[in-house]
Amino acid sequence: MDKRIQIDVTEPISFNAMYAFGSIIMQSELSNTHKELINIRASQLNGCAFCLDMHTKDAMKNGETKERVFLLDAWKETTIFSEEEKIILQITEEITMIQDQGLSAKTYKKAIERFDEKYLALIIMAVVNINAWNRIAISTHKPIVD
């Protein structure tokens, strides 16, 4: 893979602003499970190896099971995710694949019935955050570090 610019070095002010945004999301009241499900699923959809590597490791360090991580790509066909998690995963997919329809009225209705407005806002912002990071990592061929 060709070496590309690294935004953190080339444009540190912009990078630090993105990092600050991500820190706000990571320190929010979103559960660690919800954050990592969002991060992993969006990264799967976007094909971001760097973010998948980081977030699957983080999820398992925080107690996520290998089974759930391995089956996340097929979450609709399993029973191991709660109804709440399924809504979050649907939101993640619809926002990540915004060119298809965006966040549908059906999914939004389910979400607003399950979560209060603040928690739903944080879910949406978490999806926006990881999608931005995916685009940065993919565009710059961010190397995976062991």
Side-chain angles (χ1 to χ4, degrees), residues 90-104:
Q90 190 66 41
I91 291 168
T92 301
E93 289 188 4
E94 290 180 8
I95 293 173
T96 300
M97 307 304 287
I98 200 160
Q99 72 279 5
D100 294 341
Q101 70 177 347
L103 183 56
S104 69

Side-chain angles (χ1 to χ4, degrees), residues 96-142:
T96 300
M97 307 304 287
I98 200 160
Q99 72 279 5
D100 294 341
Q101 70 177 347
L103 183 56
S104 69
K106 179 181 176 184
T107 301
Y108 180 85
K109 184 177 185 291
K110 282 184 187 177
I112 206 68
E113 289 170 356
R114 177 65 69 148
F115 307 108
D116 65 30
E117 288 183 2
K118 181 173 172 65
Y119 205 83
L120 179 54
L122 288 168
I123 292 167
I124 292 169
M125 295 307 286
V127 176
V128 169
N129 178 63
I130 190 59
N131 273 281
W133 282 115
N134 287 168
R135 281 148 180 77
I136 292 167
I138 292 168
S139 298
T140 63
H141 296 170
K142 189 82 175 150

Side-chain angles (χ1 to χ4, degrees), residues 24-42:
I24 291 167
I25 300 301
M26 293 312 287
Q27 294 170 20
S28 75
E29 59 261 26
L30 281 177
S31 76
N32 285 336
T33 298
H34 292 167
K35 288 177 217 172
E36 294 306 344
L37 289 176
I38 291 166
N39 289 337
I40 295 168
R41 187 65 190 125

Side-chain angles (χ1 to χ4, degrees), residues 6-23 50 129 133 136-137 140 142:
Q6 294 305 303
I7 304 276
D8 54 331
V9 175
T10 309
E11 184 51 43
I13 293 171
S14 298
F15 182 88
N16 289 336
M18 273 297 306
Y19 190 83
F21 173 54
S23 293
F50 178 85
N129 178 63
W133 282 115
I136 292 167
T140 63
K142 189 82 175 150

Side-chain angles (χ1 to χ4, degrees), residues 46-64:
N46 289 321
C48 184
F50 178 85
C51 294
L52 275 168
D53 180 64
M54 177 173 51
H55 291 294
T56 54
K57 288 175 182 173
D58 288 348
M60 288 194 279
K61 274 188 233 170
N62 287 320
E64 189 57 82

